[in-house]
Amino acid sequence: MIRTAILGASGFVGAELLRLCASHPELDPVRLFGDSQAGLRLDAVHPQLALAYPDLVIERYAPDLLDGIDLVFAALPHGHSQRIAPDVIARDIPFVDLGADFRLSSAEDYRTWYKEEHAAPELLSRFVYGIPELHREAIAASKTVAAAGCYPTSAILALRPLIDLVDPDTIVVDAASGVSGAGKGLKDETHFNSVDENFTAYGLLTHRHTAEMEMALGGRLLFTPHLAPMNRGILATCYAVARGPCDPLATLKAAYADEPFIHVSERPPSTKWTFGSNAVHLTARYDARTGRVLAIAALDNLVKGAAGQMIQCANLMLGLDEVAGLSRVGVCP
Amino acid sequence: MIRTAILGASGFVGAELLRLCASHPELDPVRLFGDSQAGLRLDAVHPQLALAYPDLVIERYAPDLLDGIDLVFAALPHGHSQRIAPDVIARDIPFVDLGADFRLSSAEDYRTWYKEEHAAPELLSRFVYGIPELHREAIAASKTVAAAGCYPTSAILALRPLIDLVDPDTIVVDAASGVSGAGKGLKDETHFNSVDENFTAYGLLTHRHTAEMEMALGGRLLFTPHLAPMNRGILATCYAVARGPCDPLATLKAAYADEPFIHVSERPPSTKWTFGSNAVHLTARYDARTGRVLAIAALDNLVKGAAGQMIQCANLMLGLDEVAGLSRVGVCP
Amino acid sequence: MIRTAILGASGFVGAELLRLCASHPELDPVRLFGDSQAGLRLDAVHPQLALAYPDLVIERYAPDLLDGIDLVFAALPHGHSQRIAPDVIARDIPFVDLGADFRLSSAEDYRTWYKEEHAAPELLSRFVYGIPELHREAIAASKTVAAAGCYPTSAILALRPLIDLVDPDTIVVDAASGVSGAGKGLKDETHFNSVDENFTAYGLLTHRHTAEMEMALGGRLLFTPHLAPMNRGILATCYAVARGPCDPLATLKAAYADEPFIHVSERPPSTKWTFGSNAVHLTARYDARTGRVLAIAALDNLVKGAAGQMIQCANLMLGLDEVAGLSRVGVCP
Amino acid sequence: MIRTAILGASGFVGAELLRLCASHPELDPVRLFGDSQAGLRLDAVHPQLALAYPDLVIERYAPDLLDGIDLVFAALPHGHSQRIAPDVIARDIPFVDLGADFRLSSAEDYRTWYKEEHAAPELLSRFVYGIPELHREAIAASKTVAAAGCYPTSAILALRPLIDLVDPDTIVVDAASGVSGAGKGLKDETHFNSVDENFTAYGLLTHRHTAEMEMALGGRLLFTPHLAPMNRGILATCYAVARGPCDPLATLKAAYADEPFIHVSERPPSTKWTFGSNAVHLTARYDARTGRVLAIAALDNLVKGAAGQMIQCANLMLGLDEVAGLSRVGVCP
């Protein structure tokens, strides 16, 4: 078994990593790190994990506790993993980070979008951007992967194969996310009574995931995220002006024909088909009336948009079966 | 009291008209028409109305039953009110129709989008398009009003004052609706387990409300509706390429400064602020990075998008206070 | 107009009082008191109220600010209104309190259930328990009313008329509430992701509303509250051993035949029929197999369980129409 | 691999069996039977299964199609499997039925509760009642198992170990279920707009699952089911008069100490902890004030209440690891 440490174990992504590890044949979570909840038993923080991990306790992070560890997952707010990455790299442990810290290739872009100096800019070039469908070999060859964000994964998977068909400077990404994307912290915006029976937009013009999408797709794009009254799921509806008549559905089908987690179909996808799984469902259209391409992606923000993608990357990095521990079937209904 | 008849009383909009009439000082629903549920007591169909209307019964429509009626509301599937309108017009009764039958100004557009011949094309020019904020005087002067659809009301109110700031051929309307917009009929798509914890797009490229939006805004636009897991509410997020730097928020504020039901603010609106009310909340932005205008509208599809707008139109037509019977406060939470 | 002050204006019940006052012919909210949000404009705290009250500001409470006020509503956490009541009473202003402070008739019961000494025990006997259907004359004759809690209102209205048919020591009240009953404060338990798609029990054996129910119904009863994934609504399912064969449905119908807000029917009630309204829907059964009476009540915890009941009481106290400003029609769907 | 046939593959339980089989090491669904949807590809009916089963087609049942099958699961409306069981038994194929047909041990009870004559009463005694925690050896030794219903599983697991502590004739079971328990058929009651933001009781005094509970627990009990606005999950809150002071929590902990899927804790359980998993979470209390025992169970009605329990039974019958293919971790949030 692969001795696995999880930083950020008390959050939603931490819990999801633990859920997925519980049915993974190789990954064995042996160290859980958390900050405010250090010292608590895991089942006090995540009761749904009580039967699978009756004995785990959340610890406060210290570098020495990484000794003997075979794999590190980090699911921390941005700004944190750039401080911890040197500890992991020094020990030569395979490291999959979900923070934004190592996703952008330039420290300047990081400063622009995250409004702070990067603490370890010299490490940026070591990290591979973690979307296996686009960077499979590079991930397999690397020890440091920055798993892509939830929104970018959806928009990039929908648009990347279509990018030659459109003008990338005309891309609009309009996406809706379930509330778990906002994390477990207590905020007015995520109080049940704020969200339930509500639909709203946020982060107008300024959402940081724009930077990742632009890095992967080229061009200047406008991204508007929305909050939908549901636990999980992202649906990204993407628009771009076509260079000419085209068949984007056929292009997507061809691009992803051999992908284990991607399904392309004419039917508009539902986030629910992906709930709890690593699946992505895609469709696309060319609209002759307006000369636009429309592409839509659905995924589970906590799985393919976070913990599942991390495990898929780790499987590649460790030479395991890429699909180990990952479901392709949404929990539905 | 104004003796009011409601066609389509057993549907969601019919029920909402009855709810609003119960606190309207003048409108008295005396005849309810329904088809499959004719003969049933109102409280058997809509138990929530039992205390307000203990004695009403749903009847099968016959023209003679309009005798003595002062106002007719029709909330029927498209294709039906074009057959009933002649009865109402012959009796010279003020008529507010929510169907699509008399919204488009040309029978050809109707054929294109609704895939059928119009049965009363000669009546089309008599109808005023029912958005009071845009056509107040015409509505007040008319006896036949075609209240606007739910999606078009949201997009048109968000974009109409901004139309000179943008290229209308670049408009994209990306909207999400609560499920009541799909009506009370039983379909797989509106089964609770299909919708709950789900977000999906539908009607790709072909939704009929596109025609109304294009009629009101000019230009060719691309409209993508989505279904959100909630009862009510529409949020329309609208994009267009700006003709140059501009301040669309100030433009909206100026345009709607005196409107009783429209609130413009920098804060991104939430559908929940409008729940059960006739209110519309708007915001807008100019994005210098991409040269686009972003405008967002929130409303309750069953009130400002249907029954409330019908009553607002009727108030104008009958010389009543425009806001009579209509709340401006969302039921929140 | 009746100059009305609201203590606790930044909470859910405060907002609901303001929503109801907006369509009340007489009540004019002129002073809003809040603590943490004092100094903010009302629309910053409750955007859904922006159109109805564009100019109101939340103030920090001071006794002098009650001068010139005609009516005081208090919707504060327990323990607070016992400190403010003397100010109101000294000014002889009609006062409707929603806190638990003056509901129980004995200071000893207060100590037992609320684990603290009552600060104004001498005032307890001045307050009438505010359920108009049970204490209409006393409320009309009083200047100080302690409006009943949300759960007690549901259980008491369901069981009070049946109490002679059953052994009161065998009552079990099993109720589910929407989340707004837990208030606007930020807690793990009311994070959207804790509640959505979840159903749970809480307050086992010890919920404080038990005391109110026992006071009104006699006997020792067991009450188990549950949290349902919805904004509003309480459904109380009540069980008791019958003294013998009986017809509790007929008894309820007779008891409430003339009540404007209570509807008794054979059909099991839905909380949704009451959403946003002051209505209560009831049913009951006698189960010959087990010799039990079953009675079920549905209401909106923020209206008949809070703000609506407060206004109904105030209407009585001020000699207004008891139903003024209160809807009997649930917002449905 | 074990060649598995599923009757009722187009329903919710059928889909859930397929989801669970997709991560089961041994069960291979090779034949899917459905009625109205025979002839359709599986992904047309259950798009979430498209990636896992790209080639399966739903067929119309015929006995010959069972030839070569190693295991039969039936998830059919009651009345159907009693007609098919003889085909399965004749072929000596292990058979797990989820219908009500073979759960009750007497044809007379079946007639009383299901209002029809049983078509194969002679087979009733062959079937073992399928709750592995209570009948593990009998299930392992049998070829015909009638998996318990969703509500009975919850109430029986909560109360069975406590039965000597209470008077079984005083049991009240008050339970809430997610909507998937009502199946995929189109009914007004399961339209999204009927259920969302609603909580209601149904089946008052007469729900058929009462019979199963009485069979397993002894005594006459009163059961009231409720519908909660969520996809999945049952919470059963159970009451009974205690024979004397007792510690039901300790009793439950002792009874289930070695069970892989049952977790007993002082914390009131949430249905969400079990979502998508075969876990059951339990708590219990003795209330000295009223002399009652309170016991609460949470489970996923489609897993431990249906498909998961079927697979757990099949694992036992086939000599596989009892937990194969079954998660103990709820998908949370």
Side-chain angles (χ1 to χ4, degrees), chain A residues 148-197:
Chain A
C150 50
Y151 284 122
T153 300
S154 64
I156 293 167
L157 287 174
L159 288 173
R160 193 69 192 78
L162 307 179
I163 207 68
D164 293 341
L165 306 179
V166 302
D167 174 355
D169 280 321
T170 65
I171 295 172
V172 168
V173 176
D174 188 291
S177 173
V179 181
S180 58
K184 212 178 164 183
L186 299 179
K187 293 174 278 194
D188 282 340
E189 292 75 14
T190 53
H191 188 293
F192 181 81
N193 293 122
S194 299
V195 178
D196 187 46
E197 293 291 303

Side-chain angles (χ1 to χ4, degrees), chain B residues 9-89:
Chain B
S10 55
F12 286 152
V13 177
E16 192 70 357
L17 284 165
L18 286 160
R19 182 176 75 84
L20 297 174
C21 286
S23 50
H24 193 289
E26 301 289 342
L27 302 189
D28 182 22
V30 295
R31 288 220 179 274
L32 309 182
F33 298 113
D35 216 29
S36 60
Q37 313 204 271
L40 290 179
R41 288 166 46 100
L42 180 62
D43 62 359
V45 179
H46 299 303
Q48 78 275 17
L49 293 165
L51 282 163
Y53 302 103
D55 302 319
L56 284 178
V57 170
I58 297 178
E59 300 174 273
R60 190 171 305 278
Y61 173 76
D64 289 355
L65 297 175
L66 296 180
D67 294 343
I69 291 297
D70 304 316
L71 173 68
V72 173
F73 287 128
L76 300 168
H78 73 87
H80 286 68
S81 58
Q82 58 196 260
R83 284 166 177 82
I84 286 164
D87 303 340
V88 185
I89 290 170

Side-chain angles (χ1 to χ4, degrees), chain D residues 4-195:
Chain D
T4 304
I6 298 174
L7 289 128
S10 55
F12 288 151
V13 177
E16 193 69 358
L17 284 165
L18 285 161
R19 180 176 76 85
L20 298 174
C21 286
S23 50
H24 193 289
E26 300 289 342
L27 302 189
D28 182 21
V30 294
R31 288 221 178 273
L32 309 182
F33 298 114
D35 217 27
S36 61
Q37 313 205 269
L40 291 178
R41 286 165 49 101
L42 180 62
D43 62 1
V45 179
H46 299 303
Q48 78 275 16
L49 293 165
L51 282 163
Y53 303 104
D55 301 320
L56 284 178
V57 171
I58 298 178
E59 300 175 273
R60 190 170 305 280
Y61 173 76
D64 289 356
L65 298 175
L66 296 179
D67 294 344
I69 292 296
D70 304 316
L71 173 67
V72 174
F73 287 128
L76 300 167
H78 74 86
H80 286 68
S81 58
Q82 58 196 259
R83 282 164 180 85
I84 287 164
D87 302 340
V88 185
I89 290 170
R91 284 165 178 77
D92 201 32
I93 310 174
F95 179 41
V96 183
D97 182 33
L98 187 71
D101 298 41
F102 299 104
R103 289 182 193 151
L104 302 180
S105 46
S106 101
E108 190 180 331
D109 281 355
Y110 185 83
R111 188 189 315 118
T112 301
W113 288 93
Y114 290 86
K115 313 294 183 200
E116 63 181 28
E117 285 302 312
H118 200 289
E122 72 285 0
L123 298 181
L124 281 175
S125 62
R126 300 177 72 120
F127 277 80
V128 176
Y129 189 61
I131 298 187
E133 289 75 10
L134 302 184
H135 306 294
R136 184 164 280 122
E137 282 85 40
I139 293 167
S142 173
K143 289 210 151 175
T144 45
V145 168
C150 51
Y151 283 122
T153 300
S154 65
I156 293 166
L157 288 173
L159 288 172
R160 193 68 192 78
L162 308 179
I163 207 68
D164 292 341
L165 307 178
V166 302
D167 174 354
D169 280 320
T170 65
I171 296 172
V172 167
V173 176
D174 188 290
S177 173
V179 181
S180 58
K184 213 179 163 183
L186 299 179
K187 294 175 276 193
D188 282 339
E189 291 75 15
T190 53
H191 188 294
F192 181 82
N193 292 121
S194 299
V195 178

